[in-house]
């Protein structure tokens, strides 16, 4: 499966120090979970959080959800042990905080390989500093084990000294740079969190904007927002029906030796069919996840 084709509409942060949250995550309708040992965990709880996350992963029960473990940086007292433990686990990915250079990714990849990480484990990068934005292309191409970017818009806004407005205009350049780099190298990319849990209208607007910008999904800080973001990033019935219609029409045209076809007054070329096929595949995978 291509990295970007897996459903990632909703990806929820869960503190590894909260054993009850780790248990609850097995039943939540999120496409993915980020089990956190970094920002959400106090320094004196990090070792316990690591142990609890590894025990939860050994126990399993997370079904089709994509599980990432956000480790501490290699420049911290906990980072190396976090990476070693996660590399030996059943997690789908190691999520690195504050990545600013390709060398960080190569160092972590070497540790993973030395510790026998399973073949499908990937490295994901938190993109949350000005230097990360400027180095997005180099980071995206750093290593074959790289799977995707997660935008850290809260830290980014702090470092940019910009306003975190509803339209996020002060961060549009940064979001665009990471989007370009991710897509150029075939990576998935997740939008940042919406911090105001009382602002339903603003949250909905950020979901719409994120999908319009091309993000695969959005990171979340509370389970109550999962349903809304799933709906926002899920292909609608109308979209899926149209996609299936143009795929069928194009196949019929190809069978007749025609390169293009007009459907409901719209010219359909191969590029439209590729997008339609991706959308239908995503819809089918979402439907399959709902039954597991």
């Amino acid at each position: 499966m291509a990295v970007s084709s897996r459903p990632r509409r909703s990806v929820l942060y869960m503190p590894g120090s909260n054993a009850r949250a780790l248990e609850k995550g097995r039943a939540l309708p999120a496409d993915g979970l980020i089990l956190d040992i970094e920002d959400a965990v106090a320094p004196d709880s990090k070792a316990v959080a690591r142990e609890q996350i590894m025990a939860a992963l050994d126990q399993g029960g997370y079904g089709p959800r994509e599980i990432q473990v956000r480790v501490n940086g290699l420049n911290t007292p906990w980072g190396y042990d976090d990476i070693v433990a996660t590399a030996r686990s059943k997690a789908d990915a190691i999520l690195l905080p504050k990545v600013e250079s390709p060398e960080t990714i190569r160092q972590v990849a070497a540790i993973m390989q030395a510790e026998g990480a399973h073949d499908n484990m990937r490295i994901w990068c938190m993109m949350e500093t000005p230097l990360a934005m400027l180095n997005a292309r180099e980071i995206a191409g750093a290593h074959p084990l790289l799977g995707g970017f997660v935008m850290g818009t809260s830290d980014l806004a702090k470092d940019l000294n910009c306003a975190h407005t509803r339209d996020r205009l002060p961060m549009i350049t940064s979001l665009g740079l990471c989007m370009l780099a991710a897509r150029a190298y075939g990576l998935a990319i997740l939008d940042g969190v919406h911090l105001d849990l009382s602002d339903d209208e603003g949250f909905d607007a950020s979901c719409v904007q994120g999908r319009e910008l091309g993000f695969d999904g959005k990171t979340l800080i509370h389970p109550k927002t999962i349903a809304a973001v799933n709906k926002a990033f899920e292909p609608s019935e109308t979209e899926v029906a149209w996609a299936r219609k143009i795929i069928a029409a194009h196949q019929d045209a190809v069978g007749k030796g025609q390169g293009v076809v007009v459907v409901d007054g719209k010219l359909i070329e191969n590029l439209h069919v590729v997008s339609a096929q991706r959308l239908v595949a995503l819809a089918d995978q979402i439907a399959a996840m709902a039954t597991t």
Side-chain angles (χ1 to χ4, degrees), residues 13 18 32 60 64 97-98 100 118-119 159-160 167 189 216 242 245 249 254 259 267 271:
Y13 287 100
N18 187 333
K98 295 181 174 58
E100 295 185 325
H118 66 77
D119 291 343
D159 284 0
L160 292 176
D167 63 10
I189 182 167
D216 295 298
W242 171 250
K245 185 174 184 178
V254 170
L267 182 67
L271 63 94

Side-chain angles (χ1 to χ4, degrees), residues 234-243 279:
E234 181 175 340
S236 68
E237 291 183 6
T238 300
E239 289 173 318
V240 175
W242 171 250
L279 186 143

Side-chain angles (χ1 to χ4, degrees), residues 135-204:
N135 290 339
R137 178 178 178 178
E138 289 75 16
I139 292 169
H143 198 278
L145 286 179
L146 193 60
F149 287 168
V150 177
M151 298 305 303
T153 46
S154 298
D155 280 282
L156 181 61
K158 172 184 69 67
D159 284 0
L160 292 176
N161 195 27
C162 72
H164 203 151
T165 60
R166 178 173 291 188
D167 63 10
R168 298 192 294 181
L169 186 60
M171 287 185 282
I172 286 295
T173 297
S174 298
L175 298 175
L177 287 170
C178 290
M179 179 64 68
L180 287 168
R183 296 313 189 207
Y185 286 88
L187 306 180
I189 182 167
L190 300 175
D191 201 0
V193 301
H194 186 81
L195 294 174
D196 188 351
L197 293 174
S198 65
D199 179 21
D200 292 341
E201 184 180 346
F203 178 78
D204 290 343

Side-chain angles (χ1 to χ4, degrees), residues 63-165:
R65 297 166 191 83
E66 185 173 32
I67 306 299
Q68 301 186 31
V69 177
R70 182 163 70 167
V71 300
N72 291 279
L74 276 171
N75 60 342
T76 71
W78 315 279
Y80 180 79
D81 290 338
D82 290 348
I83 294 165
V84 168
T86 307
R88 296 172 178 173
S89 78
K90 300 175 184 177
D92 294 297
I94 296 174
L95 177 58
L96 305 178
K98 295 181 174 58
V99 175
E100 295 185 325
S101 75
E103 182 56 33
T104 300
I105 299 162
R106 290 192 275 268
Q107 289 175 339
V108 172
I111 296 171
M112 289 170 60
Q113 291 165 344
E115 297 299 328
H118 66 77
D119 291 343
N120 294 322
M121 185 177 287
R122 292 292 178 263
I123 298 170
W124 281 59
C125 300
M126 292 293 307
M127 302 294 283
E128 50 190 337
T129 69
L131 189 56
M133 304 303 106
L134 295 174
N135 290 339
R137 178 178 178 178
E138 289 75 16
I139 292 169
H143 198 278
L145 286 179
L146 193 60
F149 287 168
V150 177
M151 298 305 303
T153 46
S154 298
D155 280 282
L156 181 61
K158 172 184 69 67
D159 284 0
L160 292 176
N161 195 27
C162 72
H164 203 151
T165 60

